[in-house]
Amino acid sequence: MHEWIWTYEGYDPARERLREALCTLGNGYFATRGAAPECTADDTHYPGTYAAGCYNRLTSIVAGRQVENEDMVNLPNWLPLRFRLYRLAGDAAWFTPDSSALAEHRQSLDLRAGTLERTMRYVAEDGRALTVRQLRLVHMADPHLAVLRTQFTAEGWSGDIEVEAALDGGVTNSGVARYRELNGSHLVHVNAGDGEPDTMWLRCRTTTSDIRIGMAARTVADEPTDEERARTAHEPLRAVQFLRLTLPGGVTRTVDKTVALHTSRDAAISDPLHAAVGRVDRAPGFEALLESHRAAWRQLWRRGELDVPGEAGSILRLHLFHVLQTLSPHTADLDVGVPARGLHGEAYRGHIFWDELFVLPYLNLHFPEVSRALLMYRYRRLEQARVLARDAGHIGAMYPWQSGSDGREETQELHLNPRSGRWLPDHSRLQHHVGSAIAYNVWQYCEASGDAEFLHTKGAEMLTQIARFWAGFAQYDKQLERYRIRGVVGPDEYHEAYPGSCLPGLDDNAYTNVTAVWVLARALEVVRELPEPRRRELYERIGLDRGELARWEEVSRRMYVPFHDGVISQFHGYGDLEELDWDGLRARHGDIRRLDRVLEAENDTVNRYQASKQADVLMLGYLFSPAELSGLFRRLGHELDEETWHRTVDYYLKRTSHGSTLSGLVHGWVLARVRREDAWTYVREALEGDIADLQGGTTEEGIHLGAMAGTLDLVQRGLTGMETRGGALWFDPVHSPQLAEYGFSVRYHGHWGVRVRMRPGELHIGVPASDGGPIDVRLPDRTVSVEPGGSRLLMLPDDGHRPSP
Ligand code: BGC
């Protein structure tokens, strides 16, 4: 591994799909998996292309039930390009990595340039060797373009080869084995045709969302081709073009396939087909496209500057690469959310969960315009969230656990346990805490960017509607003399019900209750501090009155948070559940991250045990600084001292199976302040989650975007303790022996490129020259002001270790 280049030597069919996911190229508008253009989808290969926000809804019958699912659609495949030796009589076999002709194969992902290179050597049966070098990009400056350059060199022989380039509309959504029983045929009305010389096109539409898709490809060789040597032969579902090239021995011939993609969701087009054909006709040649693409990436890397040494640094760069390919400045022009698995595969059907909670805090400090667009995705679906609340008999906004095109609840009703083969009811939609994650992101975005306009208008509306939901959902319990939130599921989605209960949901998930309190407190703060006439507008718009604010105040001070054995309970009654025999289960099954599946296959249920999928209570230590967390508990009349928090951390650490990539991240973050010696094990797990495919074969179905962005933020905010709060930049660094020295730059309020550098015992801050004001930097023991153009070296007390709440 080179600092910027990830190389995969050799061809390994068993890991090909994983590599495809990790070598995906994209630009925020669309992405294509790093699949071999010589191959179509089969058990080894899965060439998927996905456009952000392009969904379609289909009905399927599973387990005798009719279910509806909305999927991010696998679009026509633009990659196909295969080649073989030309023969006058009879056809030679096409070269593919799966053929015995493959002698060498190497794949390199160049993060700096945003390109994927493949070099291959094929040796035909007659001993003739062909070297092939292939470079591809999905254009970062023009988000509708992609290019595939293929170069052929005959080694020690001269002769012709035949090249077939295609656009393949015969694709389905079939990339996830668990979903194979579901209907995956989203594309209809596929037709193909020719445009200008060298150009072919394909169009189709999605069955129910009626999104029209236009794709065009211009395929040219660097030797003159006449009609006999270049022809099209379209098939019902594929546009196909053939080229015959003469390869003089040792001379390299180049074929460039330039592709344009448009959908009817695009702005400023008449129809997607004409837009795609026009765009590809106008596109410059490969060299010019490569140069403008590299220039766009240079800008992105500047805005995401991160200097972390060693292996961790290389992995973080890969993570940033994939975050930016999913959510780039182009995203700012789209109506899309944060797909949990990137635009890299079909897991979770491209849906949007609470994972943006792990993504926006990073983007806020580098690409605030992208964060804002992602919040606008939620704002546009606020009305739908209100409908969801109303239909369930509540007030305010109840955002769905899984969201897609229009913001309705997209969580599946049944999920398959591949271990038992059983389809089971899925109650994860009871994770109403997603609303608090949205409110948290609104607040964080506004604090980091200083976007008061957003906070005072759309942000305030979302915050207050989510607060209203919590205040209405919480019910007063006379016995406890507290408000309770009942019948929900927390971040640990292994627990969906009390043992033996036929009703889904649990009571008083501590994470849900405390974050609801936080939302109520912030909403009150925003409403009270709104300048006129904004306050009046908000009151009128959402019909707010003083009585309602009084209720928010009351609920936010009297919410119930359960405790047992001197620790915060994950939910009311968690402490009464049985202890799990972790060692016994591990001895029997090995990897038990997916404890839910392991136990269900044994006709048992994880609901019976004190065993969590992922950080749940501990999420509180991830979202809130120790000071803020103890402040929240104090608001509720509890003293959350350091000892209680440490006991709580230890308690759940022993009882968590880490069945989500988010878990290692959160544990690494929290332990960095509580049990430093153990933190790195979890940080490593978060760093390696995708590159080593730690969740047992799930990365091939799409990367884990939350964990990827979260690791970037772990360096940026987790280790530095950086907060953007009350108009100041706060730091409270914690020393990590494994990552003692690092630096990055952030965009804070109007300042671009504020540099932060950590060394043991030192924090260095540099503010670039600008006509903005100074930045207030706060450490636990002092405040300093850094003028634009100035910098400060701040010595840290001890090793920067600070106590927990
Ligand atoms: C996790 C959720 C997460 C989802 C999508 C699940 O495995 O439990 O917390 O939102 O994956 O990434």
Side-chain angles (χ1 to χ4, degrees):
M1 181 189 5
H2 170 275
E3 242 188 300
W4 287 92
I5 299 186
W6 284 72
T7 300
Y8 299 95
E9 289 291 351
Y11 172 64
D12 180 355
R15 296 180 78 76
E16 181 62 9
R17 282 181 171 226
L18 171 63
R19 288 184 188 176
E20 287 176 354
L22 293 172
C23 291
T24 295
L25 294 183
N27 56 26
Y29 171 80
F30 83 103
T32 297
R33 289 163 62 84
E38 301 95 291
C39 306
T40 47
D42 60 18
D43 287 345
T44 306
H45 307 276
Y46 195 72
T49 288
Y50 311 95
C54 184
Y55 293 101
N56 189 57
R57 196 177 298 283
L58 288 175
T59 303
S60 318
I61 307 285
V62 285
R65 261 174 71 177
Q66 184 168 309
V67 294
E68 208 182 81
N69 281 303
E70 186 177 69
D71 283 83
M72 179 169 79
V73 178
N74 182 18
L75 298 180
N77 182 16
W78 63 270
L79 285 176
L81 190 131
R82 53 183 184 165
F83 36 87
R84 61 186 173 190
L85 300 180
Y86 177 75
R87 280 205 205 133
L88 270 178
D91 289 333
W94 296 106
F95 289 120
T96 80
D98 303 297
S99 66
S100 56
L102 185 76
E104 285 167 31
H105 191 278
R106 164 200 254 221
Q107 208 165 311
S108 308
L109 184 65
D110 183 337
L111 307 181
R112 196 195 307 259
T115 54
L116 176 64
E117 184 181 37
R118 291 171 74 221
T119 46
M120 294 153 278
R121 193 161 166 270
Y122 285 107
V123 182
E125 275 176 3
D126 60 9
R128 284 189 285 169
L130 182 70
T131 306
V132 184
R133 174 174 178 261
Q134 200 167 48
L135 195 71
R136 80 176 76 162
L137 58 93
V138 172
H139 211 274
M140 194 44 101
D142 182 336
H144 300 279
L145 285 181
V147 197
L148 180 70
R149 161 165 280 195
T150 313
Q151 297 181 303
F152 302 97
T153 315
E155 285 178 29
W157 55 276
S158 297
D160 285 6
I161 61 164
E162 196 176 9
V163 177
E164 181 204 79
L167 298 174
D168 185 1
V171 300
T172 58
N173 274 51
S174 50
V176 178
R178 291 185 304 290
Y179 304 161
R180 287 213 180 122
E181 284 182 50
L182 303 169
N183 188 352
S185 301
H186 295 281
L187 301 177
V188 285
H189 298 178
V190 182
N191 30 87
D194 298 320
E196 290 293 306
D198 308 320
T199 302
M200 58 184 168
W201 55 257
L202 186 105
R203 73 169 155 210
C204 56
R205 44 172 282 249
T206 56
T207 57
T208 57
S209 54
D210 206 13
I211 299 173
R212 282 164 294 124
I213 295 135
M215 204 176 249
R218 182 183 73 198
T219 310
V220 288
D222 65 350
E223 73 166 300
T225 42
D226 53 30
E227 270 179 33
E228 196 202 320
R229 292 180 150 252
R231 65 191 165 85
T232 51
H234 306 313
E235 298 163 10
L237 297 174
R238 296 201 318 154
V240 187
Q241 194 177 350
F242 288 100
L243 293 177
R244 205 174 105 202
L245 301 180
T246 298
L247 300 185
V251 175
T252 297
R253 287 271 183 248
T254 301
V255 175
D256 288 335
K257 183 180 182 191
T258 308
V259 176
L261 166 69
H262 274 281
T263 80
S264 51
R265 284 170 48 88
D266 296 346
I269 62 162
S270 163
D271 72 274
L273 180 60
H274 282 96
V277 171
R279 190 169 288 268
V280 92
D281 285 346
R282 287 193 306 274
F286 181 84
E287 300 298 343
L289 283 172
L290 180 62
E291 187 36 48
S292 50
H293 173 69
R294 294 176 72 120
W297 267 108
R298 272 197 298 278
Q299 283 179 17
L300 294 187
W301 287 120
R302 259 201 304 276
R303 289 179 70 180
E305 188 188 327
L306 179 72
D307 174 18
V308 175
E311 196 195 357
S314 301
I315 299 174
L316 288 170
R317 210 167 284 126
L318 180 78
H319 286 183
L320 181 50
F321 181 70
H322 286 301
V323 170
L324 292 176
Q325 295 200 109
T326 311
L327 306 166
S328 80
H330 297 298
T331 311
D333 291 332
L334 305 175
D335 173 33
V336 299
V338 177
R341 307 298 285 275
L343 300 171
H344 295 58
E346 292 162 13
Y348 293 131
R349 306 188 170 85
H351 290 174
I352 291 131
F353 297 62
W354 72 324
D355 300 47
E356 62 205 50
L357 185 58
F358 303 85
V359 178
L360 262 66
Y362 175 78
L363 293 177
N364 290 341
L365 291 159
H366 302 271
F367 301 93
E369 77 280 22
V370 178
S371 293
R372 189 181 195 281
L374 296 167
L375 292 171
M376 280 303 295
Y377 165 86
R378 295 298 196 177
Y379 179 72
R380 290 189 197 97
R381 288 151 186 84
L382 177 60
E383 184 55 34
Q384 181 63 40
R386 294 186 56 211
V387 170
L388 274 178
R390 203 181 51 220
D391 290 353
H394 309 301
I395 54 170
M398 183 172 94
Y399 275 96
W401 172 238
Q402 294 186 29
S403 182
S405 57
D406 62 7
R408 75 180 81 164
E409 179 57 82
E410 301 290 357
T411 305
Q412 69 271 29
E413 283 158 26
L414 297 174
H415 65 236
L416 177 72
N417 178 1
R419 276 186 107 104
S420 67
R422 282 191 282 260
W423 286 90
L424 306 157
D426 188 325
H427 300 299
S428 57
R429 67 182 57 210
L430 295 177
Q431 288 185 71
H432 301 312
H433 64 81
V434 60
S436 299
I438 294 166
Y440 183 88
N441 273 340
V442 166
W443 184 262
Q444 288 291 339
Y445 159 74
C446 295
E447 286 274 13
S449 66
D451 188 347
E453 174 64 19
F454 188 81
L455 182 65
H456 292 162
T457 54
K458 301 179 170 77
E461 203 178 329
M462 280 195 272
L463 263 171
T464 46
Q465 290 288 13
I466 296 165
R468 176 178 270 173
F469 169 73
W470 285 132
F473 197 69
Q475 294 300 309
Y476 190 67
D477 183 316
K478 281 200 191 118
Q479 260 178 339
L480 287 175
E481 297 183 338
R482 289 269 179 182
Y483 287 88
R484 309 187 63 183
I485 294 181
R486 311 188 71 164
V488 298
V489 170
D492 159 31
E493 49 189 27
Y494 284 173
H495 284 98
E496 293 191 323
Y498 286 102
S501 166
C502 52
L503 278 182
L506 303 151
D507 300 336
D508 304 301
N509 169 255
Y511 172 79
T512 305
N513 290 16
V514 174
T515 52
V517 166
W518 182 88
V519 173
L520 289 161
R522 288 289 87 80
L524 283 165
E525 192 178 324
V526 169
V527 170
R528 286 178 184 145
E529 287 171 16
L530 267 186
E532 290 295 357
R534 296 300 196 200
R535 189 200 321 229
R536 202 175 49 245
E537 283 166 11
L538 182 76
Y539 269 63
E540 282 168 9
R541 199 168 159 79
I542 77 165
L544 207 58
D545 63 36
R546 291 228 170 126
E548 193 169 0
L549 295 189
R551 162 126 183 148
W552 296 3
E553 188 72 56
E554 156 89 2
V555 177
S556 77
R557 293 186 182 278
R558 301 215 50 79
M559 185 74 85
Y560 172 54
V561 178
F563 285 84
H564 70 274
D565 300 343
V567 302
I568 305 169
S569 305
Q570 187 174 304
F571 50 80
H572 180 74
Y574 185 89
D576 302 331
L577 301 180
E578 283 176 45
E579 291 285 6
L580 186 78
D581 174 13
W582 292 88
D583 292 341
L585 264 189
R586 277 203 187 97
R588 283 210 304 286
H589 298 282
D591 188 345
I592 54 164
R593 276 174 226 261
R594 289 310 305 257
L595 202 52
D596 57 334
R597 293 180 179 166
V598 170
L599 290 175
E600 195 276 334
E602 291 188 339
N603 299 316
D604 200 350
T605 164
V606 75
N607 279 331
R608 289 177 50 208
Y609 303 101
Q610 294 190 35
S612 305
K613 176 179 186 182
Q614 65 200 85
D616 190 308
V617 176
L618 301 198
M619 275 298 299
L620 294 173
Y622 177 76
L623 290 193
F624 305 119
S625 66
E628 195 168 12
L629 188 57
S630 44
L632 280 168
F633 274 80
R634 215 168 298 125
R635 185 183 184 98
L636 294 170
H638 300 292
E639 256 331 299
L640 182 66
D641 55 21
E642 192 177 334
E643 214 187 307
T644 311
W645 178 245
H646 283 214
R647 244 197 331 268
T648 303
V649 171
D650 287 345
Y651 189 88
Y652 291 101
L653 200 55
K654 287 196 206 105
R655 293 168 174 83
T656 304
S657 78
H658 308 292
S660 157
T661 50
L662 298 173
S663 199
L665 169 70
V666 176
H667 281 85
W669 183 297
V670 169
L671 290 180
R673 294 189 184 271
V674 172
R675 272 224 267 120
R676 200 165 51 190
E677 55 293 359
D678 292 333
W680 196 251
T681 311
Y682 296 93
V683 174
R684 272 213 79 84
E685 169 128 358
L687 286 171
E688 290 177 0
D690 274 328
I691 55 165
D693 196 12
L694 294 183
Q695 293 290 335
T698 58
T699 299
E700 65 170 50
E701 302 165 348
I703 50 128
H704 297 82
L705 201 69
M708 282 196 169
T711 52
L712 297 164
D713 200 32
L714 182 124
V715 174
Q716 181 175 273
R717 292 189 314 136
L719 297 181
T720 60
M722 185 168 79
E723 287 178 89
T724 51
R725 185 152 56 88
L729 257 190
W730 302 65
F731 287 91
D732 193 356
V734 63
H735 175 65
S736 162
Q738 292 83 355
L739 203 59
E741 213 177 309
Y742 53 90
F744 54 83
S745 61
V746 294
R747 182 178 179 190
Y748 172 65
H749 286 195
H751 302 272
W752 286 88
V754 176
R755 285 175 186 276
V756 178
R757 175 149 277 286
M758 296 289 315
R759 286 212 194 90
E762 285 177 25
L763 164 64
H764 191 259
I765 308 267
V767 179
S770 75
D771 44 17
I775 295 184
D776 275 347
V777 175
R778 299 208 181 163
L779 283 148
D781 58 345
R782 78 207 105 138
T783 301
V784 296
S785 178
V786 189
E787 294 288 338
S791 67
R792 290 292 290 265
L793 177 64
L794 301 163
M795 305 313 283
L796 302 170
D798 182 29
D799 62 356
H801 186 57
R802 65 171 178 186
S804 286

